[in-house]
Amino acid sequence: MESKYSKEKTVCVTGGSGFIGSWLVRLLLDRGYTVHATVKDLHDENETKHLQALEEHESHRLRIFQIDLLDYDSIVRAITGVNGVFHLASPCIIDKVVDPEKEIMKPAVEGTKFVLMAAKELGVRRVVITSTSAAIAPNHHWPADLVKNEDCWTDVEYCIQKKLWYPASKTLAEKAAWEFAKETNLDVVVVNPGGAMGPILPPTVNSSMSCILRLFQGCTETYDDFYMGSVHVKDVALAHILVYENPSATGRHLCVESICHFSDFAAKVAELYPEYQLPSLPKETQPGLLKWKDPSKKLMDLGLQLTSIDQVIKDSVESLKSKGFIS
């Protein structure tokens, strides 16, 4: 059945069941949009139940579609009838990768191309791509005295050499998106979030939230190659809407509360939760990464007010506690 709402206020969110995607769906519904949210499996309650809970309060303006990033027809079905697309769906496997080409690289890159092809074919107005700060760093060729910004691109060859498949896949996918946009004149803008953290809507913990959880479990991992900073998940979702709704938004948009080292973040968590025996990390966990207070100026100029890192941590930890991940 066709939506009774106008196409202008109808958008598709791929990866709508994920940590950022769920928040984006929620904020879009709050703003009066009709949303086509995509999942990998309509029969998996871990993907659908929390989305259906949002729908109950929003006058049935949410439709859930099952897609496969390598199945063009399934993507077309989800995008048909929308005016905008937010492309978040991409494999995020940090550990235990058996076949990186099959599990991560091909779905990320080819899936992005398919989404853009469908958007162009169906006359979509604007596509917002969710990239990552891990598509900005690591880059060891960047000038040592210059703060990393949207002009910096991750060194894919280095990532492949170090088996950093997620940064490699996201960098190649974003580059493919820009190439497609240049060739076809499709209106594409990109958000590059750091480690998105905060209240969890899905039943599972995403990779960024697991960074906090692992601290409470005593893990001393430093994420030295691609950590640039953290950001509230709600800010990331709002950033997507701001770049979608503002015609002046162009290019890449780094979205982090500040550029800092993971050791700074871990020390702040320990400061806020002294009752826990949290591990101490080396002082410089990201050698050569220059710290910066306001790296997300492009988004701030669009009206984004970034949540303080103290509040990001508090919201994250309290959510992990409420869901039983931290006792």
Side-chain angles (χ1 to χ4, degrees):
M1 185 176 72
E2 287 294 319
S3 170
K4 64 181 179 180
Y5 297 93
S6 68
K7 181 178 179 180
E8 285 69 28
K9 291 286 282 186
T10 303
V11 295
C12 176
V13 177
T14 72
S17 62
F19 181 55
I20 297 173
S22 299
W23 268 100
L24 179 55
V25 169
R26 177 172 169 174
L27 294 190
L28 286 166
L29 291 172
D30 287 346
R31 291 166 89 96
Y33 284 88
T34 295
V35 180
H36 293 191
T38 79
V39 300
K40 288 190 292 185
D41 185 356
L42 280 173
H43 302 292
D44 184 351
E45 285 196 347
N46 285 336
E47 289 200 77
T48 59
K49 193 172 182 180
H50 62 286
L51 290 178
Q52 290 163 346
L54 297 175
E55 181 183 23
E56 292 172 5
H57 305 288
E58 296 297 341
S59 305
H60 303 290
R61 282 187 282 106
L62 175 65
R63 297 179 64 193
I64 303 176
F65 293 78
Q66 178 174 308
I67 70 165
D68 179 334
L69 286 173
L70 299 179
D71 179 355
Y72 182 71
D73 290 341
S74 71
I75 293 169
V76 167
R77 285 192 291 271
I79 292 178
T80 296
V82 310
N83 198 42
V85 173
F86 299 87
H87 179 46
L88 286 74
S90 190
C92 184
I93 308 169
I94 306 299
D95 304 312
K96 300 177 181 176
V97 178
V98 177
D99 186 340
E101 179 64 25
K102 181 180 179 181
E103 295 174 54
I104 300 182
M105 305 296 280
K106 190 173 182 180
V109 178
E110 296 301 318
T112 296
K113 290 179 182 178
F114 278 172
V115 167
L116 294 175
M117 287 168 57
K120 182 66 178 178
E121 178 185 336
L122 295 167
V124 165
R125 181 180 71 81
R126 170 168 276 195
V127 179
V128 179
I129 301 282
T130 309
S131 187
T132 170
S133 63
I136 291 174
N139 181 328
H140 302 298
H141 306 293
W142 186 254
D145 59 347
L146 186 62
V147 175
K148 288 185 170 70
N149 58 38
E150 287 92 349
D151 293 329
C152 185
W153 282 89
T154 282
D155 184 340
V156 174
E157 289 185 8
Y158 172 83
C159 288
I160 292 174
Q161 178 187 348
K162 300 280 283 186
K163 299 183 178 180
L164 301 171
W165 304 116
Y166 176 70
S169 72
K170 293 295 285 185
T171 304
L172 290 173
E174 189 188 339
K175 286 188 172 183
W178 287 123
E179 184 177 344
F180 185 92
K182 183 179 180 180
E183 291 175 353
T184 64
N185 290 320
L186 180 65
D187 188 353
V188 171
V189 288
V190 170
V191 178
N192 299 80
M197 301 176 181
I200 306 168
L201 296 181
T204 54
V205 177
N206 72 312
S207 59
S208 295
M209 284 293 283
S210 71
C211 295
I212 299 186
L213 182 57
R214 287 176 178 180
L215 282 174
F216 282 84
Q217 294 169 341
C219 179
T220 57
E221 172 65 51
T222 57
Y223 311 99
D224 55 311
D225 273 313
F226 55 86
Y227 183 83
M228 281 187 72
S230 300
V231 62
H232 202 289
V233 62
K234 191 173 181 180
D235 294 347
V236 178
L238 183 55
H240 282 71
I241 296 173
L242 288 173
V243 301
Y244 176 71
E245 292 183 341
N246 284 273
S248 62
T250 59
R252 312 172 89 196
H253 298 77
L254 179 59
C255 186
V256 289
E257 185 271 343
S258 64
I259 295 178
C260 66
H261 290 213
F262 187 72
S263 52
D264 301 320
F265 176 79
K268 178 61 72 172
V269 177
E271 175 190 321
L272 292 173
Y273 292 90
E275 66 273 25
Y276 291 87
Q277 297 293 318
L278 300 182
S280 59
L281 302 180
K283 189 174 182 181
E284 297 289 318
T285 51
Q286 276 65 44
L289 179 67
L290 296 181
K291 302 174 187 181
W292 195 250
K293 184 181 178 182
D294 294 319
S296 301
K297 192 173 185 307
K298 286 182 73 174
L299 288 170
M300 293 166 69
D301 288 346
L302 293 175
L304 184 65
Q305 296 180 329
L306 287 152
T307 305
S308 71
I309 196 61
D310 288 37
Q311 196 61 50
V312 171
I313 292 169
K314 289 175 183 176
D315 286 354
S316 301
V317 173
E318 296 312 309
S319 183
L320 288 167
K321 282 183 175 181
S322 70
K323 291 185 175 290
F325 294 109
I326 296 176
S327 56

